[in-house]
Amino acid sequence: MLFDPKSEQYLGRLEARLRRAQAPTPELISDVIAEACVCFAARGGAAKLRIHRLIESGAWTDAALALLELELPQWKLRRIVYEDGEWHCALSRHPQLPLELDEVAEASHEILPLALLVALLQASRDVAAGARRVTAVPRVDLAPGYAVCCDNFA
């Protein structure tokens, strides 16, 4: 996902719509797919058909999980907790690492599929921000033909 300030504003408005929504609707899910799921259009017909069938049948949680798997395969569901009338979801790049060392996208909502979709949007933003990040250390290539062994075999 390339950096586009208008796209970032639209994603913010879409996230606000998801947070205000009382129930998932096909229109809301299709807006998420159109604006945040850039890999969805490039996928084959079987994956698209599966998600469309889940949406048509009203299997919102399964559709949100399928979108997450399709759009961000490197992100895994780390935690789902229902507490005080809200679902709290956490997506993680490295769920085997301690929480302090991992990149986590968290969201909460009264409705589980909407919480998953908000977390999907936040993870997508994190991926886009990582793509825009510039490293301070320049990359240095090795010079061909000169190899030096620095081990001490004594």
Side-chain angles (χ1 to χ4, degrees):
M1 180 183 293
L2 298 175
F3 177 68
D4 181 11
K6 291 181 182 177
S7 176
E8 189 70 26
Q9 290 173 355
Y10 188 78
L11 286 178
R13 284 189 298 232
L14 184 59
E15 183 177 333
R17 277 183 56 206
L18 285 170
R19 290 188 184 280
R20 287 190 313 264
Q22 297 298 318
T25 62
E27 295 81 23
L28 191 58
I29 303 287
S30 65
D31 285 348
V32 170
I33 290 171
E35 218 28 65
C37 299
V38 293
C39 293
F40 187 80
R43 293 295 179 175
K48 288 181 186 179
L49 185 62
R50 177 178 172 240
I51 292 174
H52 285 300
R53 284 187 179 164
L54 289 170
I55 292 169
E56 288 172 1
S57 66
W60 306 115
T61 303
D62 291 335
L65 289 170
L67 273 175
L68 174 65
E69 181 182 343
L70 181 73
E71 187 62 27
L72 299 169
Q74 69 275 16
W75 289 77
K76 304 297 178 207
L77 188 60
R78 184 176 183 122
R79 180 183 54 158
I80 297 178
V81 177
Y82 185 72
E83 185 175 74
D84 297 330
E86 278 193 334
W87 288 97
H88 300 273
C89 299
L91 302 177
S92 171
R93 278 195 167 193
H94 307 286
Q96 68 277 11
L97 290 177
L99 198 56
E100 304 84 38
L101 301 176
D102 195 11
E103 292 180 56
V104 179
E106 294 183 295
S108 62
H109 199 282
E110 295 92 20
I111 300 165
L112 178 59
L114 294 177
L116 288 167
L117 290 173
V118 171
L120 172 80
L121 286 179
Q122 290 182 354
S124 297
R125 282 180 171 170
D126 289 349
V127 168
R132 291 189 309 265
R133 213 172 285 141
V134 177
T135 60
V137 179
R139 182 178 170 92
V140 177
D141 292 329
L142 295 176
Y146 297 99
V148 177
C149 179
C150 296
D151 291 339
N152 184 1
F153 295 108

